[in-house]
Amino acid sequence: DQQVKQNSPSLSVQEGRISILNCDYTNSMFDYFLWYKKYPAEGPTFLISISSIKDKNEDGRFTVFLNKSAKHLSLHIVPSQPGDSAVYFCAAATNAGGTSYGKLTFGQGTILTVHP
Amino acid sequence: DTGVSQNPRHKITKRGQNVTFRCDPISEHNRLYWYRQTLGQGPEFLTYFQNEAQLEKSRLLSDRFSAERPKGSFSTLEIQRTEQGDSAMYLCASSSGGRVTDTQYFGPGTRLTVL
């Protein structure tokens, strides 16, 4: 079963506009959420994260919003730049301890293309 | 900090052959993870180590798969009697600790093609 879902396989945005990437999850035990970015021929790199005790976290042009009741999170990139073109993965983890500590569950990814 | 390295970057093998991949984590990172990524999917957790101890294995990791981290530094992932369904990108990640807030740094992956 897909516990983390990114329902948009791709997104195309004009440079300078806002990019909004969405992610839904089903497992109520998830309480920590992350976004990773992946360029071709490279491994995923950490972008931004949010704990379930918050509903928003901001880092420069990147903001992640969490709606726990809807089990939904989104990544906003403002303004979008051509260098942001990459695959973006949403990931979730549980902070509940035990041997699953730190294990990430990823969504399928969304390909973002930012046009100049 | 030279990052996580993985070797080889690409491996083509025939069905039924054994393959072994190596991961060198960031120095002094005590957590090491293996993930597998197939086309159109995100990385899927396979197993992880705390130092040399393998603490959890996914049900995706069949008996044909074995992972080791003998001295708590580099790790190897071996697949015996490869099948075409094993074709995927195998990613390794390391972190300084086991908390969810400890960032996992990924290597570039080893792409396996089973003919």
Side-chain angles (χ1 to χ4, degrees):
Chain A
D1 63 335
Q2 191 76 32
Q3 298 185 69
V4 178
K5 297 181 182 179
Q6 294 175 255
N7 291 317
S8 298
S10 62
L11 176 67
S12 183
V13 172
Q14 204 69 28
E15 181 179 7
R17 306 295 291 267
I18 184 171
S19 295
I20 300 176
L21 296 98
N22 294 302
C23 177
D24 297 294
Y25 62 97
T26 57
N27 190 337
S28 299
M29 296 297 294
F30 290 145
D31 54 10
Y32 194 75
F33 304 90
L34 311 91
W35 285 93
Y36 275 78
K37 179 169 70 174
K38 185 182 185 303
Y39 292 118
E42 296 182 10
T45 56
F46 171 75
L47 191 56
I48 192 169
S49 62
I50 188 167
S51 165
S52 61
I53 62 174
K54 296 184 176 181
D55 54 17
K56 176 183 174 181
N57 189 27
E58 193 172 352
D59 183 1
R61 297 185 297 114
F62 303 90
T63 303
V64 56
F65 296 91
L66 175 62
N67 182 335
K68 282 186 295 183
S69 61
K71 293 190 174 68
H72 177 84
L73 64 154
S74 61
L75 174 68
H76 292 209
I77 306 173
V78 183
S80 301
Q81 299 174 353
D84 296 329
S85 297
V87 180
Y88 288 78
F89 292 102
C90 168
T94 176
N95 203 20
T99 58
S100 294
Y101 228 33
K103 182 178 81 174
L104 299 178
T105 301
F106 284 87
Q108 308 97 308
T110 296
I111 301 170
L112 173 65
T113 304
V114 181
H115 298 283
Chain B
D1 181 352
T2 57
V4 177
S5 61
Q6 293 187 245
N7 288 287
R9 294 291 306 273
H10 303 273
K11 179 70 177 178
I12 300 174
T13 190
K14 293 182 178 179
R15 188 178 53 182
Q17 297 295 304
N18 300 342
V19 294
T20 300
F21 311 141
R22 175 176 171 130
C23 170
D24 287 89
I26 293 171
S27 178
E28 298 184 0
H29 275 191
N30 54 35
R31 276 279 178 119
L32 187 147
Y33 300 82
W34 285 100
Y35 292 85
R36 181 174 71 184
Q37 184 180 10
T38 53
L39 196 62
Q41 301 297 315
E44 294 176 287
F45 169 80
L46 291 178
T47 187
Y48 80 85
F49 293 84
Q50 175 76 27
N51 298 312
E52 66 274 11
Q54 187 174 18
L55 296 185
E56 186 173 348
K57 293 193 290 186
S58 163
R59 56 182 170 78
L60 293 176
L61 217 62
S62 75
D63 292 344
R64 298 183 296 105
F65 288 71
S66 63
E68 294 183 343
R69 195 183 183 195
K71 297 183 179 179
S73 57
F74 73 91
S75 175
T76 58
L77 178 67
E78 181 183 15
I79 309 174
Q80 296 183 329
R81 305 180 303 283
T82 53
E83 301 173 356
Q84 288 185 326
D86 298 331
S87 296
M89 177 73 83
Y90 290 84
L91 294 163
C92 173
S94 72
S95 64
S96 58
R99 297 168 299 179
V100 292
T101 52
D102 292 319
T103 300
Q104 292 186 30
Y105 296 88
F106 282 81
T110 295
R111 180 168 295 282
L112 173 66
T113 302
V114 181
L115 302 176

